[in-house]
Amino acid sequence: MPVSIRDVALRAGVSVGTVSNVLNRPGEVSAESVHRVTQAIEELGYVRNDAARKLRAGVSTTVGFVVLDGQNPFYTDVVRGAEDEAARHGIAILYGNTDEDPAREKVYLDLFQEQQVRGLLIAPYGDITARLQRLRSGGIPAVLVDRFSADARFSSVSVDSVAGGRLAVEHLIAGGRRRIAFVGGPFDMRQVNDRLAGARAASDNAGVRVGLEVIPTSGMTVEEGVAAGARVLARPRREWPDALFAANDLLALGLLQSLVVDGRAVVPGDIALIGFDDIPFAAAAAVPLSSIRQPSRIIGRTALRVLLEEAADPESVPRQTVFPPELVVRASTAGR
């Protein structure tokens, strides 16, 4: 049987109320009682029942965080930023990875609702507005992460992905590239659509003739990038694009791997390559990868701060925090 607070009180020779005060209000208890209770806790291996304590206090000390791809270092850094901010407030982060799977996303939303977390941070897959509204009506606010809330029903913290896509393709055009391919998918992810929209805006307004094709992928992984690279290289050489813009760095690294292993296309001489996110591996690639940088940890810290403010004031008006992207130029897009 688990050790109870009564067991601790019996071992320490004090009342249950004294043990409770030591755990929750130690300043109100004598130093001797604190010592005796602490010693009893250590001897018995007592672990407080935080779930019960939260129910009594009416305030949860946990926040749920659901991300699209736990293998993507971008999301790892976003979560780290949220954890840094959470630690300042005595909050713990419960983390779930959906792997771009709506069924897994639902499982985590159900779990966090059952746990009655203080709030939810989520990088959603598709449109889950109705579900988030139900959570909010049940006292669990939500903040969108890495996703702009177009209808402003929820607060969001993101980077301007349209501007990022435009920056990437403008950079490629400035480097003399005219046959550009956007590599990304699936297109029910808002981030992918926004980055493509920015790429199209840059090509349409270039002032020179630029071809922009789309090479779809079923996911945003290194493996999908490798497969997309193989499809490009399977074409006759005259039909190769002279630049690739990947919707994230994992895709870009997969593309780079495919091109380097094949050996026929030199990066950036034959094909320039740029990604999105600027994860740590980008600078360390065989050919250092140009990318569109997102301030990942700042996004996480800001999102957690906004969520706690909304949990404290349920009547607050949702707000959209949008950070500007930054172009980071490395060897993979050297000009001709």
Side-chain angles (χ1 to χ4, degrees), residues 11-32:
R11 174 64 67 92
V14 299
S15 68
V16 170
T18 298
V19 176
S20 178
N21 284 336
V22 169
L23 292 173
N24 299 293
R25 296 174 295 277
E28 300 179 6
V29 187
S30 69
E32 180 185 356

Side-chain angles (χ1 to χ4, degrees), residues 234-257:
R235 304 175 183 178
R237 192 181 187 98
R238 65 181 179 276
E239 297 179 12
W240 287 355
D242 62 9
L244 298 169
F245 168 34
N248 77 355
D249 283 346
L250 295 184
L251 283 170
L253 291 171
L255 288 164
L256 180 62
Q257 177 183 331

Side-chain angles (χ1 to χ4, degrees), residues 202-213:
S203 63
D204 290 345
N205 299 315
V208 296
R209 186 172 181 178
V210 176
L212 180 68
E213 68 166 307

Side-chain angles (χ1 to χ4, degrees), residues 180-185 187 192 196 200 212-217 231 235:
I180 301 170
F182 174 86
V183 181
F187 287 93
V192 176
L196 176 56
R200 284 178 168 151
L212 180 68
E213 68 166 307
V214 176
I215 300 175
T217 63
R231 296 201 299 273
R235 304 175 183 178

Side-chain angles (χ1 to χ4, degrees), residues 177-193:
R177 310 294 170 164
R178 298 294 182 265
R179 302 186 311 279
I180 301 170
F182 174 86
V183 181
F187 287 93
D188 48 4
M189 290 177 59
R190 176 66 180 268
Q191 298 92 324
V192 176
N193 281 298

Side-chain angles (χ1 to χ4, degrees), residues 297-308:
R297 293 207 180 187
I298 294 175
I299 289 173
R301 288 199 300 268
T302 303
L304 195 282
R305 195 177 304 125
V306 170
L307 182 65
L308 294 182

